Amino acid sequence: MAERSTAAVDVADNSGDDPLTAKADKAATDGVAEEQKTAEKTAEATENKAVERQSGEQPSLAAPELHSGHKLARRYRLEECVTRLDGFSSWRAVDEKLRRAVGVHLLPADHPRARSVLAAARSAALLGDPRFVQVLDAVEENDLVYVVHEWLPDSVELTALLAAGPLEAHDAYQLVSQVSQAMAAAHREGLSHLRLTPSAVLRSSTGQYRIRGLAVNAALRGITAERPQRSDTEAIGALLYASLTQRWPYENDAYGLSGLPKGVGLLPPDQVRAGVHRGLSEIAMRALANDGATASRQEPPCTTPDELARAVSSMPRVKPPEPEFTAPPEYQRTTYQQGTYGRPQPHPAATQTVVVPPPPLQSRTGRALKWAVSALLITALGLGSWQIADRLLGPKETSKTPDPTPTIITDEKPVAPRPLAIQSAQEFAPDGLPQNSDAVHNTYDSDSSSYWRTKTFIDGPVLAPYKQGVGIVYDLGSEQNVSSASIAFRYGGPQTAITLYAADSLYPSGTPDSMKKIATAESSDLTAKPEAKKPVKTRYVLLWMTSVPYSGGDQLSGSGSGYKQAITNVAFQGTAAP
């Protein structure tokens, strides 16, 4: 799938509902007469305000006129505009400082929703939950307000997944489980989405679902709700319903999906499509009961994401489908094996006269040949016997002792490993999410009180699938034969997993899997000492951490309790490369 369709924040997707901003844009294209006619409809008072604003009483909102190549803060270079709507625009951009792709929302500083967009973006950035597409920056500068967020080129929208067909029961179970748990965590921090559509849910290559546009998409559109938890819960139910049936659970078509037949009401998913998992069907109905549906088996409706998450966790776990194996090709007999024993002949064979050959060597020539061969055999046996007797009865030869090979004695001894000096270091974040780049130098300053610390993770000790790992690349100044390392940690407990790799530069272009492994170690203490079976020649060493222990809150560092680790000192041992 193209990068634009999988990573851009599609805030312009209006299918499935009719937000006020979209109606205002439509009215602006119909002319002043149509705007005045619309303004006379008192039942649409909110829409009238947007129309009057566009009819000349207030200056119309226009997206900032920027172009590809424009730089923000001398850092973010705009590449491609993916959305331009109601005074704001969304771009695919490049962070030239960290050399990664990012997404950017732009709107004028005097936009009526500029303040709310900034507040929503900064609140979402403080959440720091890896299940959401992270907000990286929110700035007001030079009469512009812009919000910078992650760009995920390896992820696929739920819209694209549903275009190919409904999801398997296991995938749908993972979707509702992960999304409901993530939204429950967001609401506990006072954040809501209010724009949770199929285009707002992404599935990564590892099978993890991530949510984009938390609070920001609704702020860009000016969407609010009296009961935000109920609105988000119903939206999750609609996503699950669509994943099970490939139908949108309302009469109108939306997001590339067909709606339900008009006049039949909200049918359970297992009545819309055969073979739907009954437990998931009931969960979808309990979430959509907010819209007047009747929950199956008289179960109470779920009105908050937390209630929905508990309902999903209480149901029997949905197992993944069994792997399908390709049947081996039918055994083919060779020509040698395809005999006729026990098989009927396809055609009767013609009768042939069998000629019986005469017994061998019965002729005169044959008898002469037999006598000649017999004579040769007797002669050969006699010669062989004579040679054996002569060898056994003859004088014995004195065996010669071979001269011993002279032993070369040298005074050379193997060179003992010595400490290797670290010239510089740089944090390695292939996913574009560094942990604490400014504190990397604390790991080799010989000061045990200073350290570099990871962020605090919710699950562990293994960081995947939320994060494949965290690491630092060290520059030894020149090529060295690296044999071991000594790493001191701040937090103990099971378990910290460390692997050393030989990198090609201080900013490696590949992943750790593409690098040569030096050594690996697991530790539950405050130190780890990975040792290589054979020294590896390299200048740059990547310290890659894939598992961290659980630790309580740390008042000195200001970190909460969770899975985390901090490195206080790193030292490498080895010998100088020839």
Side-chain angles (χ1 to χ4, degrees):
M1 177 168 291
E3 184 180 55
R4 175 174 177 177
S5 63
T6 59
V9 174
D10 188 12
V11 295
D13 187 2
N14 289 315
S15 57
D17 59 359
D18 198 6
L20 302 180
T21 56
K23 295 180 180 179
D25 286 349
K26 181 179 179 181
T29 61
D30 292 339
V32 177
E34 183 65 20
E35 294 167 359
Q36 294 175 350
K37 180 178 178 180
T38 306
E40 295 176 358
K41 299 181 179 180
T42 58
E44 300 178 357
T46 307
E47 180 181 355
N48 296 341
K49 294 181 181 179
V51 175
E52 291 170 1
R53 187 183 70 237
Q54 305 254 351
S55 63
E57 296 183 7
Q58 297 180 4
S60 61
L61 298 176
E65 292 296 334
L66 301 178
H67 55 82
S68 299
H70 181 86
K71 286 188 181 180
L72 301 172
R74 298 181 180 179
R75 175 176 178 177
Y76 304 111
R77 186 180 74 248
L78 303 182
E79 293 288 328
E80 179 186 9
C81 182
V82 296
T83 299
R84 191 180 296 273
L85 175 70
D86 194 24
F88 71 87
S89 59
S90 298
W91 294 75
R92 176 176 59 85
V94 175
D95 183 350
E96 294 186 337
K97 182 177 180 180
L98 298 179
R99 295 183 296 179
R100 63 180 179 181
V102 295
V104 179
H105 297 308
L106 282 167
L107 66 163
D110 58 353
H111 194 288
R113 292 193 290 274
R115 303 275 75 78
S116 61
V117 170
L118 273 177
R122 290 167 179 171
S123 299
L126 293 175
L127 181 60
D129 193 320
R131 293 171 292 192
F132 294 91
V133 175
Q134 299 295 304
V135 173
L136 306 176
D137 209 351
V139 181
E140 180 179 358
E141 181 183 57
N142 298 331
D143 299 327
L144 283 177
V145 168
Y146 59 88
V147 177
V148 183
H149 59 85
E150 284 184 289
W151 188 275
L152 307 176
D154 63 337
S155 299
V156 182
E157 289 183 3
L158 181 60
T159 307
L161 296 175
L162 295 181
L167 302 184
E168 295 286 345
H170 177 70
D171 293 334
Y173 172 80
Q174 292 295 329
L175 167 71
V176 67
S177 177
Q178 295 182 29
V179 173
S180 61
Q181 291 178 17
M183 288 309 305
H187 278 283
R188 283 193 293 268
E189 299 297 328
L191 294 172
S192 56
H193 198 290
L194 305 183
R195 185 66 184 165
L196 201 55
T197 64
S199 60
V201 178
L202 306 175
R203 188 174 71 179
S204 67
S205 57
T206 59
Q208 177 189 0
Y209 288 93
R210 300 187 67 179
I211 304 170
R212 64 184 175 191
L214 178 68
V216 176
N217 278 10
L220 286 169
R221 294 173 171 272
I223 299 175
T224 59
E226 295 181 359
R227 299 180 179 180
Q229 294 201 55
R230 183 169 179 173
S231 299
D232 284 342
T233 304
E234 184 176 351
I236 299 173
L239 294 178
L240 176 59
Y241 194 103
S243 300
L244 296 172
T245 63
Q246 202 185 11
R247 300 287 292 268
W248 195 238
Y250 305 103
E251 292 184 353
N252 297 328
D253 298 346
Y255 312 108
L257 302 173
S258 301
L260 297 178
K262 298 183 181 298
V264 300
L266 181 58
L267 298 174
D270 53 1
Q271 294 184 19
V272 175
R273 176 175 166 265
V276 171
H277 190 279
R278 184 174 182 183
L280 293 175
S281 176
E282 293 176 357
I283 291 292
M285 293 299 291
R286 292 178 65 181
L288 288 171
N290 300 321
D291 196 45
T294 301
S296 303
R297 296 170 54 187
Q298 304 302 319
E299 294 286 349
C302 299
T303 58
T304 66
D306 188 56
E307 292 180 0
L308 183 58
R310 288 199 301 267
V312 174
S313 61
S314 63
M315 66 177 291
R317 194 176 193 85
V318 180
K319 297 181 180 180
E322 295 292 335
E324 297 182 359
F325 298 98
T326 305
E330 185 179 356
Y331 179 72
Q332 300 292 333
R333 294 180 179 271
T334 62
T335 305
Y336 176 78
Q337 292 171 326
Q338 290 177 347
T340 58
Y341 178 76
R343 299 182 183 179
Q345 294 292 339
H347 300 286
T351 304
Q352 297 181 356
T353 303
V354 179
V355 180
V356 180
L361 303 180
Q362 294 298 323
S363 62
R364 183 177 181 180
T365 304
R367 286 194 296 270
L369 182 61
K370 286 194 296 182
W371 282 109
V373 171
S374 300
L376 289 174
L377 288 175
I378 294 171
T379 304
L381 289 173
L383 290 174
S385 301
W386 176 79
Q387 290 179 354
I388 293 173
D390 182 65
R391 186 181 294 264
L392 292 175
L393 299 176
K396 297 183 179 179
E397 297 181 359
T398 304
S399 60
K400 296 181 180 181
T401 304
D403 296 334
T405 303
T407 303
I408 300 175
I409 301 176
T410 62
D411 295 333
E412 296 183 1
K413 297 181 179 179
V415 180
R418 59 177 178 82
L420 303 177
I422 299 175
Q423 301 296 325
S424 62
Q426 177 70 34
E427 184 169 342
F428 179 64
D431 59 355
L433 297 176
Q435 302 295 294
N436 193 2
S437 300
D438 297 335
V440 171
H441 65 280
N442 293 334
T443 62
Y444 60 97
D445 59 357
S446 300
D447 184 2
S448 59
S449 62
S450 62
Y451 55 87
W452 168 87
R453 182 176 58 81
T454 69
K455 296 184 183 299
T456 303
F457 298 93
I458 299 174
D459 293 331
V462 179
L463 299 180
Y466 300 116
K467 200 171 186 67
Q468 297 305 314
V470 296
I472 301 174
V473 180
Y474 293 92
D475 182 5
L476 304 181
S478 61
E479 288 190 339
Q480 307 286 340
N481 291 322
V482 181
S483 58
S484 63
S486 177
I487 307 164
F489 303 119
R490 180 177 175 84
Y491 307 112
Q495 66 188 14
T496 302
I498 293 289
T499 304
L500 302 181
Y501 294 94
D504 56 0
S505 68
L506 196 58
Y507 300 91
S509 57
T511 61
D513 295 338
S514 63
M515 305 178 190
K516 184 175 182 180
K517 183 185 294 185
I518 300 175
T520 184
E522 290 186 0
S523 175
S524 298
D525 301 324
L526 296 178
T527 57
K529 296 183 179 180
E531 295 184 2
K533 296 181 178 179
K534 183 179 180 181
V536 176
K537 182 179 179 181
T538 182
R539 173 178 175 178
Y540 303 97
V541 179
L542 168 61
L543 189 155
W544 188 241
M545 189 184 311
T546 56
S547 177
V548 296
Y550 181 87
S551 182
D554 191 341
Q555 295 182 355
L556 295 178
S557 63
S559 64
S561 60
Y563 292 91
K564 58 185 177 180
Q565 185 56 279
I567 299 177
T568 61
N569 194 28
V570 174
F572 296 102
Q573 293 80 37
T575 58

